[in-house]
Amino acid sequence: MTTIRGVAASGGNHPRKPAVNLDAVSKTIIELLQHDGRKSYASIAQQVGLSEAAVRQRVQRLLDADVMQIVAVTDPLQVGFQRQAMVGLRVSGDITPVTDALSAIDEVGYVVTTAGSFDVLAEVVCEDDNHLLELLTTRIRALPGVTATETFVYLKLNKQLYNWGTR
């Protein structure tokens, strides 16, 4: 069995969630939901050999521990957002206040601490170029500790999958 500890979405020095044991059945449930997040508990139960109620409980434990999320993933262009970008940030001092502040911005959907040229990467989704410019100028570059940014504007979404399975 593998033990995974989920952490709060905002990262940083926040308390850890309770440990979740990922046995083969839980891993199979995750993989089935990665392929079809709308798959019924009854269908999953048949495939993993548990009752529908047991599957429901396992899924809820995985959700509560932040091991997984079940969400609708959209193509931003199809729902009115004309500009996506990845913003690389260089930060002086403690990175945590910057990552926490970025995580609180509605337009930011992804924040990671990195090693290399940038300390932090943040993916943003904006209505248009003016919205992106306002976001960068008044809210991201203005964060205390941010010393430099570099913006990589997306021209086309070529692939976006979340079905990498489990280990």
Side-chain angles (χ1 to χ4, degrees), residues 10-154:
S10 59
N13 296 324
H14 301 284
R16 291 191 174 268
K17 298 281 186 167
V20 174
N21 289 322
L22 289 184
D23 60 10
V25 173
S26 291
K27 288 179 181 183
T28 301
I29 291 169
I30 290 168
E31 290 173 2
L32 290 168
L33 289 169
Q34 282 179 328
H35 287 282
D36 180 2
R38 298 181 305 152
K39 194 170 203 64
S40 72
Y41 291 139
S43 173
I44 295 170
Q46 281 184 329
Q47 291 182 264
V48 299
L50 293 177
S51 70
E52 185 176 340
V55 169
R56 184 178 297 108
Q57 289 173 346
R58 280 187 186 235
V59 168
Q60 191 59 55
R61 279 197 306 267
L62 294 167
L63 294 169
D64 290 345
D66 290 334
V67 171
M68 68 176 191
Q69 297 175 355
I70 300 172
V71 298
V73 178
T74 62
D75 177 351
L77 289 173
Q78 300 294 323
V79 293
F81 296 98
Q82 300 301 309
R83 182 57 66 217
Q84 280 185 276
M86 183 67 68
V87 182
L89 295 92
R90 291 186 185 89
V91 178
S92 65
D94 185 5
I95 294 171
T96 304
V98 174
T99 58
D100 287 348
L102 288 168
S103 297
I105 297 173
D106 288 339
E107 293 90 343
V108 176
Y110 175 82
V111 178
V112 292
T113 301
T114 61
S117 298
F118 300 104
D119 300 303
V120 178
L121 292 176
E123 186 177 47
V124 300
V125 178
C126 297
E127 293 173 15
D128 53 32
D129 288 337
N130 287 331
H131 184 191
L132 175 61
L133 180 60
E134 181 273 328
L135 175 66
L136 290 169
T137 305
T138 66
R139 294 192 276 159
I140 293 178
R141 291 183 182 141
L143 291 172
V146 173
T147 60
T149 65
E150 186 171 347
T151 304
F152 303 89
V153 173
Y154 297 2

